[in-house]
Amino acid sequence: MKIKAIISIISSAVLTACVAANATPDQASNSDYRIQVFKDCEIVKDMAMSPTQVSAYKAFQNIENKMTLLEKPVRDMDEELAEYHAQLEALSSDFKYEDENILKIDKQKLREHKEIARKIEKIVRSHEADIRAIEQEARRIESASKRFEQAIKPSLVGLEHDQVQIINRKTAKPFKCYQHS
């Protein structure tokens, strides 16, 4: 489904942005925004973000926040569709029977199956505008993440790392290390 592809693109863009977020020159030491670079959960470098990097990061965050709002109706749709998909699966195994080279179809179950399929189509059609809005925003996120990545990439040159964290000293949360297996 298009939604899963969009979410995959967004996740990839977010991951790319986080990895790219490591690149900031040390010259802007008074910045509230910092890049922290980690290798095996040990800090490799902590550096202030330049004004250009902060600007690119904030632009990326704004688009990301808008995307979160746009995704809400689609998440609601997914929950509603999950119920119908479960009903379809249950009916799919019940509306046909096979015994010794003969296929029998329960027409009532087939009608129920078609009715559920129509409901699913109706729900998806009712969310077409939401889906298009997400697709457009996904393109903006991809563009913003590329700008952000380009802004921080130079700061990461020569640093061996497996995690990058962008923090705002005013709202910083403790670093959470993600061990790779």
Side-chain angles (χ1 to χ4, degrees), residues 76-113:
D76 294 343
M77 177 189 75
D78 283 343
E79 289 176 20
E80 194 175 356
L81 289 177
E83 178 183 323
Y84 287 121
H85 283 295
Q87 290 175 16
L88 277 180
E89 278 188 33
L91 279 173
S92 293
S93 61
D94 293 341
F95 79 84
K96 62 184 176 186
Y97 308 94
E98 288 186 60
D99 52 342
E100 293 191 41
N101 300 331
I102 296 175
L103 176 65
K104 297 178 183 180
I105 296 176
D106 182 329
K107 290 183 181 180
Q108 176 57 35
K109 298 238 186 232
L110 183 59
R111 281 191 291 278
E112 290 174 32
H113 192 274

Side-chain angles (χ1 to χ4, degrees), residues 11 27 29 37 51 78 81 95 98 100 112 115 128-129 171:
S11 296
Q27 70 220 29
S29 60
V37 184
D78 283 343
L81 289 177
F95 79 84
E98 288 186 60
E100 293 191 41
E112 290 174 32
E115 181 58 31
E128 284 179 354
T171 61

Side-chain angles (χ1 to χ4, degrees), residues 123-166:
I123 291 168
V124 171
R125 274 194 307 273
S126 73
H127 286 279
E128 284 179 354
D130 297 324
I131 293 168
R132 278 193 304 276
I134 287 173
E135 289 171 343
Q136 289 176 333
E137 202 62 22
R139 287 189 286 275
R140 287 186 191 105
I141 280 185
E142 184 177 17
S143 177
S145 74
K146 285 180 182 177
R147 283 191 303 273
F148 179 59
E149 180 179 10
Q150 290 306 310
I152 62 168
K153 204 172 191 177
S155 297
L156 300 176
V157 172
L159 296 176
E160 191 175 325
H161 63 282
D162 53 19
Q163 294 180 54
V164 174
Q165 179 180 11
I166 304 297

